[in-house]
Amino acid sequence: MLNLIVKDFRLLFSAQGNLRKKLLSVLTTVLMMAAVVGIETYIFTTILDKIRVYNNASLPFLTLFLGIISVFMILLTTLRANKLFFNLKDIEQLLRRPVSGAQIVISKLVFLFFTHYVMSLLLTYPILIAYGNLTGRSIWFYYIGVFYPALAFLFEGGVALILVYPFKLVSDFLKKHMVLQFALSLVLMVGACMLYNYVLGIFMELVVNNNVNAIFTVSSLQRLTELRRWMVPINFLADVFFASRTSMIIVYLCIAGGIFLLGAALVIFAFNYFRSITLHAKPGKAKDLLHFTTPTVALIKKEILLLFKDSNNIFSFTGMLIVQPFLVYIIISSMNDVFSSGAFSYAMLALPELIPLLNVLIVMLFTLIINQGANEYIQTEKGNVRLMKILPVSPIKQLLIKLAVPYCLSAISLTVTVVLLLATGELGPVSGICAWLLTLLLLAVFELISLKEEMHVGNNRPRSTFLSTCYSYLLPIGFFGGSIVGCIFGLDIRLAYLIGTAVFLVCSLPHAIRVRFKLEQLFLDLEMVN
């Protein structure tokens, strides 16, 4: 049993690469988790402190907050259960081990509970501490709070187990239909952007404008109280831990326990069915995909398929390119509202160049961060590097096509973004044109450096992204900081843009020269990546 749990841990959390890369991955995850918990606690504490003056408003808001966390945990647990129960390589390994199906299922359920408990505790216990601090609870309140994630697992884990096999079927179907997969991903991302815009508007009213009365009216609080009645069974669990209504634990256990038993039964049936299919699976017939076209067109099509067919690229690059204009507009519009109202408006009188320079920085950073989702030019080929070397196409042409496809897609998204900002008046004509030009130059530098880093990827030597990371973050931030200092001392913002353009050009020349004269040799020396 313990060996099976250890195997599942490696299945979910094993990181590829050397020790330094693994430590960096762990550190990044810890920092991101700390940031999420900090922001979550700050928002919860800020809103709760403002609405607790209303009678009986604290518990409905707390239940709503816990309900949002519960939805997130259900989605996260569904993804983890899908990887635990329906991983093809894992099933093939288990078929060769002398373990029963019951042992496998129990070990996976135990591990799923453990991961759920840790994540749920990180998200809910800070909320419990903040609520107890504001309402003056005793030490016993904080002690019993550690049992909240364990009881929540009955409901959240049960729903996840019910959803996991339908999720797998839909996921497998979408992998075979690229257009539907991209369309659904795009709908989800647009919905996420709209939700972000709505939440950001509420946050601006509460925290920035301190306008709590505009949101929490008598009618809205009544709707919140009514909504709480329908949030079954989270409302019963909130009553047990936050309202001291211990009798509700029986109601919760009956509902959540029934959901968990149903989910466990369904996932056991689905797991055994999937394992039997894997055991008796036969290789399918190869399809005739022979089409005649020019090498250049074929290479361009291949790069586009690599970007659009992989679901990871859809959420990290191609889908983000489509929502980038809307997302950047939301952020810049909100930032402009913050700096043009209240005490910030007086500071802007002394330094009016801050807002346009900050907007240009946001455009540059967003474009570069999104482009990072498509800069693994060699690693995406996997075992096809050998084929690339024997193609009757020059290495320079192959690699330039690899650079050109994501660069052109990023440039199109950038152009739409800048046009939208110009049309809505969020950016002035000079700042808009310079933001477009500077970002294109910076994007070219970043892609050239990324290509040089990819040329040193090997079987036992992971890619070093130190230089490309420095250029993608430090160069635009350095331009922003230097321009601010220059404007403080009387430098015209148009001259700051001109200097920034010259600096970006100078930074790109060494890498362009290296690519021009050494790219072919680097390509021939490239190790096979399997």
Side-chain angles (χ1 to χ4, degrees), residues 70-88:
S70 181
V71 171
F72 172 76
M73 289 304 304
I74 289 173
L75 295 176
L76 183 61
T77 307
T78 302
L79 295 176
R80 286 178 175 170
N82 180 54
K83 194 170 183 180
L84 278 175
F85 286 97
F86 305 112
N87 185 283
L88 185 60

Side-chain angles (χ1 to χ4, degrees), residues 105-163:
V105 171
I106 292 174
S107 67
K108 290 182 181 297
L109 288 176
V110 170
F111 183 73
L112 191 66
F113 167 77
F114 174 76
T115 55
H116 178 280
Y117 178 84
V118 173
M119 188 66 181
S120 182
L121 186 69
L122 290 173
L123 292 176
T124 58
Y125 201 69
I127 300 301
L128 183 142
I129 294 175
Y131 185 84
N133 184 45
L134 289 176
T135 56
R137 296 303 181 94
S138 64
I139 191 67
W140 174 253
F141 173 79
Y142 301 101
Y143 171 72
I144 64 172
V146 298
F147 298 100
Y148 178 89
L151 290 175
F153 176 75
L154 287 177
F155 169 66
E156 296 164 0
V159 174
L161 293 177
I162 293 173
L163 296 177

Side-chain angles (χ1 to χ4, degrees), residues 1-6 102-104 106-108 110:
M1 181 70 69
L2 183 60
N3 291 333
L4 290 174
I5 294 176
V6 172
Q103 289 178 313
I104 296 173
I106 292 174
S107 67
K108 290 182 181 297
V110 170

